[in-house]
Amino acid sequence: MSTITNVKTYDFRFPTSQTLSGSDAMNPDPDYSTAYVEVETDADDGIKGTGFVFTIGRGNDVVCRAIDSMSHVLLGRNVEELLDNMRLAWDLFVGDSQLRWLGPEKGVEHMAIGAVLSALWDIKAKRAGKPLWMLLAQMDPEELVATLDFRYLTDALRPEEAIEILQEGKRGKDERIEYLLKFGYPGYSTAAGWLGYADEKMVQIAKEETEQKGFKQIKLKVGRNVDDDLRRLALAREAIGPDVRLAVDANQVWDVPEAIEWINKFHDFDLAWVEEPTSPDDVIGHATIARAINPIPVATGEQMQNRIMFKQYLQANAFGVMQIDATRVAGPQEVVLEYLMAKKFNKIVCPHAGGVGLCEAVCHFAMFDYVAVSGTMDGRMIEYVDNQHEYFVHPIQISEGNYVAPTAPGNGTEMTVETAQKYLYRG
Amino acid sequence: MSTITNVKTYDFRFPTSQTLSGSDAMNPDPDYSTAYVEVETDADDGIKGTGFVFTIGRGNDVVCRAIDSMSHVLLGRNVEELLDNMRLAWDLFVGDSQLRWLGPEKGVEHMAIGAVLSALWDIKAKRAGKPLWMLLAQMDPEELVATLDFRYLTDALRPEEAIEILQEGKRGKDERIEYLLKFGYPGYSTAAGWLGYADEKMVQIAKEETEQKGFKQIKLKVGRNVDDDLRRLALAREAIGPDVRLAVDANQVWDVPEAIEWINKFHDFDLAWVEEPTSPDDVIGHATIARAINPIPVATGEQMQNRIMFKQYLQANAFGVMQIDATRVAGPQEVVLEYLMAKKFNKIVCPHAGGVGLCEAVCHFAMFDYVAVSGTMDGRMIEYVDNQHEYFVHPIQISEGNYVAPTAPGNGTEMTVETAQKYLYRG
């Protein structure tokens, strides 16, 4: 038996705004940041559970404060009791009626809860000696589903349907694990497309990412000026040729009518998707846009607040590509629910990544999905940007444009805190 | 010319969980709390701008931290420049791209922004020597609309339509101001209905609130046990008679199918509305419920995160009664946008109140609406509970079940901080 002895947060902010890496139509000068948490126990194994919330700068201290403010719930608590009953852990935080008022289930508090629950799953995976994707994929369907909260979802997905999906996912599971360990999971690159980059730099990086690194899709930021967009799209398409997929991302700058008018000028570029045309809160708006710009698919999800929004996007067929973010929702349990709903509604998931630690974190869920839920990588890929990986104990590896499946035990989010010390924010 | 010199926050928590006042099916033991902010300037007038976020306990410190964390934007800034251009003030906070990541426009950060913007409007109203409702109602339509951000709304309401609504609202405005000052605005009482109250207590309070205090509507909490609900509804209806309106409130405890089944047992009680049947995020779910329980109207809004959600509820006709909360969205400007949309879609607004300071705050918007937007009180009323009013400089007054129109300059939220000192939370 062991006990949680310490919950420690770190406010790391990297000055990415200096290079305009990460710049887009909504976010001209992000400073990629992480509200990072470590959960320590008194067990002999020396295992530390880690999790984080990715932010782009200001307010990262508020997320740390939210985590600090809920740490009293964990301190002194029996570790095994929580790890054996992760639904209890979920209820302690997501079910806290006073904290609920501050959302419910959205924004700073929900993200902070996600970091804490991720850290607990990290301990669980490390104790099992498995990477998180494998831990999740090898859990018994009933056992995994018992950790999940179907509140507000039963009009779209019931527990018994989830079990059925996971039971079906058992067929061929071992072969898929083998395949994944051998070949990895497709990635795509956003490195070329930042809005702050000059045309030449964009074209050069687009070529490097596809010809040298082997990515089969790139993505450009759009939405500040339509003429610039058209020129950049033509240049990019010419640089990568017809066989590499090209997506665009507007980062929520448009209203619904404006989005439709703007995107309908993009039909010549054979786009893989248009990402975040408008506010992520606008289910009905996205459904309207999706119908009006057909056949270009709508993608969104990196700022989707919770599973209830994803449910509605699926019910309303408001997007073609579902972009889960690992650190916006309440940890692995909510992400698993979202993948199960995607399977039920037969929707493609291409997770959001790129920000500090996101690549390391989200690949576990995509790989879990491939092995145990959808059983396929068709049309699926994980976003990739070569940013801040050096601060992680097990930085993600890319080979021929594919994410190499992590084999180190845990959820991939553990940082080498010492090397990042100089980016500790001190107000 | 004057300058902002200080932004000060207070974490007040009142131990309401001890009396079960405020208890409902989702919130068994709320501690009514306020993250209260004072904005000071170096002007000779001695005016302090105040605002707050109502919460129910844990996490109130996180809201204070969020306000503290954004105060650097205000300190040293020219006051008149902001007050003459409140759209600039909005953009400084709502438009901050780094803070946006933590929402966007929802949860702790958005609520904190609302408190800060409210405090600025409070200074503006106090300098004008008017209560906020009158300041807003007497602003020139173009001037008021220029303060508003229509981003993500133009598929439902465009600026020129808003101006048109306000222009139309000019007819009879002076008469309505006079009427309001004379008779006030209808309130309704939630005092009897807390789920923690015994039947006898509920019946007794229901009679007091209606027979003695003159409220024309009461509201009961429901959703924990259907047999209890039916018994309490019968008792309440008997106590108040057929002419007083009776509403129920489930505080989000149901899933969509469960809500429909449960509410359809309530058809005998001539209900004014069913409030918060499920998650406020679920536009589609509420639309489904609204159709299935017709003619009982659905009401929701107290936990609606922003104007984009209200827009969709209106577009999807997902509720019959819109319940704006004054301290969940980004201050007076967002509330005004919501009232303008309600007018456009011809929907009744009955604002959420009851929590610390909410009665003092929301009545200004309902009265602004009566005077300058909808021009009517038909079917409209403001929630009322007799809680913590004694901590306010100008506590709201009720006369014959009506809210007396405030005449003191400002937004009504200024507290007598000294008298609340003993409820300052110290961790």
Side-chain angles (χ1 to χ4, degrees):
Chain A
M1 185 201 125
S2 57
T3 299
I4 294 175
T5 53
N6 199 13
V7 177
K8 198 170 170 189
T9 55
Y10 301 82
D11 180 352
F12 289 122
R13 306 196 193 187
F14 300 91
T16 48
S17 58
Q18 290 168 15
T19 62
L20 296 184
S21 155
S23 58
D24 60 52
M26 183 64 86
N27 309 294
D29 53 357
D31 287 318
Y32 277 19
S33 301
T34 175
Y36 178 68
V37 60
E38 292 176 345
V39 175
E40 293 173 355
T41 78
D42 59 8
D44 292 337
D45 55 20
I47 286 174
K48 226 172 3 198
T50 63
F52 71 99
V53 175
F54 170 66
T55 83
I56 59 171
R58 285 182 287 282
N60 204 49
D61 53 319
V62 180
V63 183
C64 286
R65 173 58 176 262
I67 297 171
D68 292 339
S69 179
M70 60 183 73
S71 63
H72 68 94
V73 180
L74 292 178
L75 292 171
R77 196 171 279 268
N78 181 298
V79 183
E80 291 75 24
E81 187 199 10
L82 283 182
L83 300 189
D84 291 347
N85 184 0
M86 287 300 294
R87 176 59 200 264
L88 168 66
W90 167 282
D91 287 341
L92 283 175
F93 297 102
V94 180
D96 181 307
S97 63
Q98 295 192 357
L99 289 185
R100 254 196 129 254
W101 188 271
L102 302 172
E105 303 191 45
K106 58 182 67 77
V108 166
E109 286 290 340
H110 202 55
M111 295 160 100
I113 288 170
V116 169
L117 291 176
S118 288
L120 295 176
W121 278 96
D122 188 43
I123 298 176
K124 190 173 167 86
K126 284 172 173 166
R127 287 191 174 187
K130 296 178 184 180
L132 180 61
W133 65 267
M134 197 184 284
L135 175 81
L136 292 170
Q138 293 181 334
M139 277 173 84
D140 184 70
E142 281 80 7
E143 190 193 350
L144 179 55
V145 168
T147 72
L148 307 178
D149 183 0
F150 288 81
R151 173 169 261 185
Y152 304 136
L153 298 185
T154 56
D155 54 330
L157 182 76
R158 287 170 292 113
E160 52 274 28
E161 294 174 291
I163 290 172
E164 213 171 283
I165 288 170
L166 291 165
Q167 288 290 5
E168 212 167 291
K170 280 182 165 176
R171 267 187 305 169
K173 191 184 275 188
D174 292 340
E175 291 74 16
R176 287 194 295 278
I177 291 178
E178 204 176 314
Y179 184 90
L180 189 63
L181 288 168
K182 202 161 169 187
F183 299 106
Y185 194 106
Y188 77 90
S189 167
T190 314
W194 306 118
L195 217 48
Y197 284 1
D199 289 355
E200 298 68 31
K201 185 168 181 179
M202 181 271 287
V203 166
Q204 187 202 328
I205 300 177
K207 286 190 173 176
E208 281 168 17
E209 296 292 297
T210 52
E211 290 169 13
Q212 290 160 41
K213 297 191 188 157
F215 288 108
K216 304 285 186 296
Q217 177 176 315
I218 66 165
K219 191 166 76 185
L220 295 194
K221 300 294 184 175
V222 295
R224 200 174 287 158
N225 176 298
V226 73
D227 294 325
D228 288 346
D229 290 350
L230 293 169
R231 189 187 70 252
R232 284 158 49 85
L233 280 170
L235 287 170
R237 181 48 87 197
E238 196 193 332
I240 62 177
D243 297 333
V244 174
R245 289 162 49 117
L246 177 61
V248 296
D249 185 355
N251 292 86
Q252 312 172 21
V253 288
W254 298 314
D255 279 22
V256 174
E258 194 184 11
I260 293 168
E261 199 190 324
W262 199 301
I263 300 166
N264 273 330
K265 296 186 173 136
F266 291 167
H267 280 286
D268 290 345
F269 302 102
D270 188 22
L271 294 183
W273 68 65
V274 174
E275 186 169 324
E276 291 205 305
T278 191
S279 165
D281 302 349
D282 200 346
V283 183
I284 294 176
H286 276 85
T288 304
I289 294 168
R291 284 192 299 272
I293 66 168
N294 187 50
I296 302 176
V298 167
T300 191
E302 75 181 54
Q303 296 196 11
M304 204 80 83
Q305 64 204 33
N306 59 35
R307 67 201 179 283
I308 304 156
M309 294 304 290
F310 277 114
K311 176 187 79 166
Q312 292 174 85
Y313 273 80
L314 291 166
Q315 289 172 320
N317 201 18
F319 55 14
V321 180
M322 179 161 163
Q323 299 180 301
I324 284 169
D325 182 287
T327 78
R328 190 166 289 276
V329 298
Q333 288 146 285
E334 190 157 6
V335 177
V336 166
L337 279 165
E338 291 167 356
Y339 270 103
L340 288 165
M341 286 195 290
K343 166 69 180 170
K344 160 103 188 265
F345 285 82
N346 198 22
K347 197 62 75 180
I348 285 173
V349 181
C350 295
H352 169 244
V356 194
L358 287 181
C359 299
E360 280 72 15
V362 298
C363 65
H364 287 270
F365 302 108
M367 292 175 184
F368 153 72
D369 171 70
Y370 168 65
V371 172
V373 182
S374 76
T376 175
M377 298 182 192
D378 269 7
R380 282 126 173 114
M381 61 202 83
I382 308 168
E383 187 166 17
Y384 182 77
V385 187
D386 193 4
N387 262 344
Q388 289 96 30
H389 300 292
E390 63 271 33
Y391 303 109
F392 288 82
V393 175
H394 299 289
I396 200 71
Q397 303 297 322
I398 297 288
S399 168
E400 288 295 309
N402 290 329
Y403 271 72
V404 176
T407 52
N411 67 9
T413 68
E414 189 169 342
M415 295 180 78
T416 53
V417 164
E418 311 70 36
T419 65
Q421 281 298 327
K422 68 172 166 172
Y423 298 111
L424 259 185
Y425 182 74
R426 292 185 175 85
Chain B
M1 187 199 124
S2 57
T3 299
I4 294 174
T5 52
N6 198 15
V7 177
K8 198 170 171 188
T9 56
Y10 300 82
D11 180 352
F12 289 121
R13 307 195 192 186
F14 300 91
T16 49
S17 58
Q18 290 168 13
T19 61
L20 297 184
S21 155
S23 57
D24 61 52
M26 182 63 87
N27 309 293
D29 54 356
D31 286 317
Y32 277 20
S33 302
T34 174
Y36 178 67
V37 60
E38 292 177 344
V39 175
E40 293 173 355
T41 78
D42 59 8
D44 293 337
D45 54 19
I47 286 172
K48 226 174 0 199
T50 64
F52 71 98
V53 175
F54 169 67
T55 83
I56 59 170
R58 285 183 286 282
N60 204 48
D61 55 319
V62 180
V63 183
C64 286
R65 173 58 175 262
I67 296 171
D68 292 339
S69 179
M70 59 183 73
S71 63
H72 67 96
V73 179
L74 291 178
L75 293 172
R77 195 170 279 268
N78 181 298
V79 183
E80 292 75 24
E81 187 199 11
L82 284 182
L83 300 188
D84 291 346
N85 184 359
M86 286 301 293
R87 175 60 199 263
L88 169 65
W90 167 282
D91 287 342
L92 283 173
F93 297 102
V94 181
D96 181 307
S97 62
Q98 295 192 357
L99 289 184
R100 254 195 128 254
W101 189 270
L102 302 171
E105 303 191 44
K106 59 182 65 80
V108 166
E109 287 290 340
H110 202 55
M111 295 160 99
I113 287 170
V116 169
L117 290 176
S118 287
L120 295 177
W121 278 96
D122 187 43
I123 297 176
K124 190 173 166 86
K126 284 171 174 167
R127 285 192 176 187
K130 296 179 182 179
L132 180 61
W133 65 267
M134 195 183 286
L135 175 83
L136 291 170
Q138 292 182 335
M139 276 174 85
D140 184 69
E142 281 80 7
E143 191 193 349
L144 179 56
V145 168
T147 71
L148 307 178
D149 183 0
F150 289 81
R151 172 168 262 186
Y152 304 135
L153 298 185
T154 56
D155 54 328
L157 182 76
R158 286 170 292 114
E160 51 274 27
E161 294 173 291
I163 290 172
E164 213 170 282
I165 288 170
L166 291 165
Q167 288 290 4
E168 213 166 289
K170 280 181 166 178
R171 267 187 305 169
K173 191 184 275 188
D174 293 340
E175 291 74 16
R176 286 194 295 277
I177 290 178
E178 204 176 316
Y179 183 91
L180 188 62
L181 288 168
K182 202 161 169 188
F183 300 106
Y185 194 107
Y188 77 90
S189 167
T190 314
W194 306 119
L195 218 46
Y197 285 1
D199 289 354
E200 298 68 31
K201 185 168 181 179
M202 182 271 287
V203 166
Q204 186 202 333
I205 301 177
K207 286 190 175 178
E208 280 168 17
E209 296 293 296
T210 53
E211 290 169 13
Q212 290 160 39
K213 298 191 188 156
F215 288 108
K216 304 284 187 298
Q217 176 177 315
I218 66 165
K219 190 166 76 185
L220 295 194
K221 301 294 184 176
V222 295
R224 201 175 285 158
N225 177 298
V226 72
D227 293 326
D228 288 346
D229 289 351
L230 293 170
R231 189 188 67 251
R232 284 158 49 85
L233 280 170
L235 287 170
R237 180 49 86 198
E238 195 193 333
I240 62 177
D243 297 333
V244 174
R245 289 161 49 117
L246 176 61
V248 296
D249 184 355
N251 292 86
Q252 311 171 22
V253 288
W254 298 312
D255 279 21
V256 174
E258 193 184 12
I260 293 169
E261 199 190 324
W262 199 300
I263 300 165
N264 273 329
K265 298 186 172 133
F266 290 167
H267 280 287
D268 289 345
F269 303 100
D270 187 22
L271 294 183
W273 67 65
V274 174
E275 187 169 323
E276 291 205 303
T278 189
S279 165
D281 301 349
D282 200 346
V283 183
I284 293 176
H286 277 86
T288 304
I289 294 168
R291 283 192 300 272
I293 67 168
N294 186 49
I296 301 176
V298 166
T300 191
E302 76 180 55
Q303 295 197 10
M304 203 79 85
Q305 64 203 34
N306 59 36
R307 67 201 179 283
I308 304 156
M309 295 304 290
F310 277 113
K311 177 188 78 166
Q312 293 174 85
Y313 273 80
L314 290 166
Q315 290 172 321
N317 201 18
F319 55 14
V321 180
M322 179 161 162
Q323 298 180 301
I324 284 169
D325 182 288
T327 79
R328 190 167 289 276
V329 298
Q333 287 146 285
E334 191 157 5
V335 177
V336 167
L337 279 165
E338 292 167 355
Y339 270 103
L340 288 166
M341 286 194 292
K343 166 69 180 170
K344 163 104 187 266
F345 285 82
N346 199 22
K347 196 65 72 180
I348 284 172
V349 181
C350 294
H352 169 244
V356 194
L358 286 180
C359 298
E360 279 71 16
V362 299
C363 65
H364 287 270
F365 302 108
M367 292 175 184
F368 153 73
D369 171 70
Y370 168 66
V371 172
V373 182
S374 74
T376 176
M377 297 183 192
D378 270 6
R380 283 129 174 110
M381 60 202 83
I382 308 168
E383 187 167 16
Y384 182 77
V385 187
D386 193 4
N387 262 345
Q388 289 95 31
H389 300 291
E390 63 271 34
Y391 303 110
F392 289 82
V393 175
H394 299 288
I396 201 69
Q397 304 296 323
I398 297 288
S399 168
E400 287 295 309
N402 290 328
Y403 271 73
V404 177
T407 53
N411 67 10
T413 67
E414 189 168 340
M415 295 181 76
T416 52
V417 165
E418 311 70 38
T419 64
Q421 281 298 326
K422 68 172 165 170
Y423 299 111
L424 259 185
Y425 182 74
R426 292 184 176 85

